[in-house]
Amino acid sequence: MEITNVTEYEAIAKEKLPKMVYDYYASGAEDQWTLKENRNAFARILFRPRILIDVSKIDMTTTVLGFKISMPIMVAPTAMQKMAHPEGEYATARAASAAGTIMTLSSWATSSVEEVASTGPGIRFFQLYVYKNRKVVEQLVRRAEKAGFKAIALTVDTPRLGRRESDIKNRFTLPPNLTLKNFEGLDLGKMDEANDSGLASYVAGQIDRTLSWKDVQWLQTITKMPILVKGVLTGEDARIAVQAGAAGIIVSNHGARQLDYVPATISALEEVVKATQGRIPVFLDGGVRRGTDVFKALALGASGIFIGRPVVFSLAAEGEAGVRKVLQMLRDEFELTIWH
């Protein structure tokens, strides 16, 4: 069967993957209200199409933090991609590079910053979790910079891991053949088995809950890379991000995996854009499955969007070719939306 849209990959991934792995990728926090709302909110936004405008020449290229990319559609950080496919982050990196767009590598990747850099040229960002041990953070940031990564996406919505009930039921843990490659040499690469979610226990033990705006400033003292603050949902925090020296904001609710009953990202976008007053770019992730979604986000003030689950689901289904196809389908749909 020919795959004709991004969403179709989810069912294929569900068939192919072990239940624990599929549930980890697919689920949201608690009642999963925000998980559904991330999609539903896009569906409530309608177009007012204008007609008889010359659309014979369309340019979808854009610039993100000074880097030219082929389209405003980028790859969000998603953890542990080798659970989806043996090539994991390598495949994703090659697909993003082939599409001429940016890949964001997760701190909790199953391939290291050096390994991903070795796949060849490409513009890559590094998603950072701040560990209690700041020496670990400094080392990691330096390694990412040395490996040619161009920006840090600092995740700020995870002082604790969200309550993902399927992970508790499945007693989720990283499969024994895999490690969190960036932390392998630091004895932080493995997750212990736990009575609930192994990842939740790992976060409780390692991730720094004292993280505050002063740490955003501290990060700027240890790296030349620009810092994107990922996980902003309010105008108030957007204003503080600007003052703290952030190079950009990613409006994100962590794929609805952290705090349930927060708004959909597309619903929070306008407030954040307004608050930044054009001083720094605002990006969005969460719920983007169609080219029309990309267009809606841009129309409401986003400078670009990131996709997460579509990447891991297509990776599980067809490896690198799947991820390439997802990026191509979104590009084609986005172009078709502009033509109209």
Side-chain angles (χ1 to χ4, degrees):
M1 278 285 282
E2 175 76 16
I3 285 177
T4 54
N5 66 65
V6 166
T7 312
E8 287 175 339
Y9 275 116
E10 180 163 358
I12 300 171
K14 187 173 187 176
E15 265 171 47
K16 280 200 164 186
L17 291 171
K19 180 174 161 50
M20 180 188 80
V21 172
Y22 170 79
D23 285 352
Y24 170 72
Y25 290 145
S27 62
E30 296 187 343
D31 295 330
Q32 304 192 109
W33 182 85
T34 298
L35 183 68
K36 299 177 201 78
E37 177 68 3
N38 268 355
R39 289 295 306 128
N40 292 340
F42 272 114
R44 292 193 296 269
I45 298 168
L46 303 180
F47 295 124
R48 297 179 65 243
R50 300 296 303 274
I51 53 164
L52 294 175
I53 292 163
D54 181 350
V55 289
S56 58
K57 290 186 185 69
I58 291 174
D59 181 8
M60 289 193 290
T61 63
T62 190
T63 305
V64 171
L65 302 182
F67 298 99
K68 195 164 188 201
I69 55 175
S70 68
M71 58 182 174
I73 301 165
M74 298 167 280
V75 175
T78 48
M80 309 178 238
Q81 292 178 11
K82 282 188 180 175
M83 294 194 308
H85 187 276
E87 289 176 22
E89 294 84 2
Y90 287 77
T92 303
R94 291 192 296 259
S97 179
T101 194
I102 292 165
M103 173 195 183
T104 317
L105 182 71
S106 169
S107 274
W108 295 337
T110 37
S111 315
S112 68
V113 286
E114 294 84 4
E115 287 172 333
V116 170
S118 78
T119 62
I123 304 154
R124 302 187 184 103
F125 293 173
F126 182 70
Q127 176 272 333
L128 180 68
Y129 282 119
V130 176
Y131 280 58
K132 289 173 182 169
N133 182 344
R134 292 308 167 89
K135 287 275 174 284
V136 166
V137 178
E138 258 180 87
Q139 205 180 328
L140 194 53
V141 168
R142 296 229 164 88
R143 278 173 57 198
E145 195 159 5
K146 192 165 168 243
F149 284 69
K150 300 298 187 224
I152 293 285
L154 174 68
T155 298
V156 295
D157 58 13
T158 314
R160 290 282 305 265
L161 202 69
R163 199 159 176 283
R164 306 163 193 173
E165 295 179 4
S166 56
D167 289 352
I168 297 169
K169 285 188 173 67
N170 297 332
R171 302 198 168 182
F172 174 81
T173 190
L174 189 59
N177 58 319
L178 299 175
T179 56
L180 302 179
K181 261 291 190 319
N182 287 315
F183 300 97
E184 203 173 31
L186 303 159
D187 284 339
L188 295 168
K190 280 288 183 201
M191 241 170 259
D192 299 324
E193 299 277 334
N195 307 331
D196 48 10
S197 155
L199 185 62
S201 305
Y202 179 87
V203 169
Q206 302 300 337
I207 302 304
D208 193 344
R209 286 179 222 170
T210 71
L211 189 69
S212 71
W213 289 106
K214 69 179 189 308
D215 297 296
V216 178
Q217 286 156 322
W218 168 72
L219 268 178
Q220 291 167 71
T221 68
I222 66 163
T223 181
K224 293 191 205 34
M225 288 183 285
I227 293 157
L228 296 169
V229 179
K230 177 178 180 286
V232 173
L233 290 169
T234 65
E236 292 89 331
D237 283 337
R239 277 188 283 276
I240 302 171
V242 173
Q243 288 158 7
I249 285 170
I250 303 173
V251 174
S252 174
N253 52 34
H254 210 114
R257 294 160 71 77
Q258 281 302 103
L259 178 61
D260 202 10
Y261 299 100
V262 294
T265 49
I266 195 65
S267 307
L269 178 62
E270 269 184 286
E271 178 185 323
V272 171
V273 168
K274 212 173 260 149
T276 58
Q277 296 178 306
R279 292 212 285 260
I280 56 174
V282 176
F283 305 95
L284 171 142
D285 68 30
V288 175
R289 299 294 178 271
R290 285 278 188 191
T292 47
D293 300 332
V294 180
F295 190 96
K296 288 169 184 180
L298 266 58
L300 292 171
S303 292
I305 63 91
F306 292 86
I307 51 165
R309 285 187 186 86
V311 170
V312 288
F313 291 147
S314 60
L315 183 63
E318 291 174 358
E320 181 186 338
V323 181
R324 280 188 190 226
K325 180 143 194 207
V326 155
L327 290 166
Q328 187 62 49
M329 283 190 293
L330 282 174
R331 181 190 176 89
D332 291 344
E333 290 176 8
F334 178 55
E335 186 174 35
L336 193 57
T337 311
I338 300 171
W339 270 328
H340 287 110

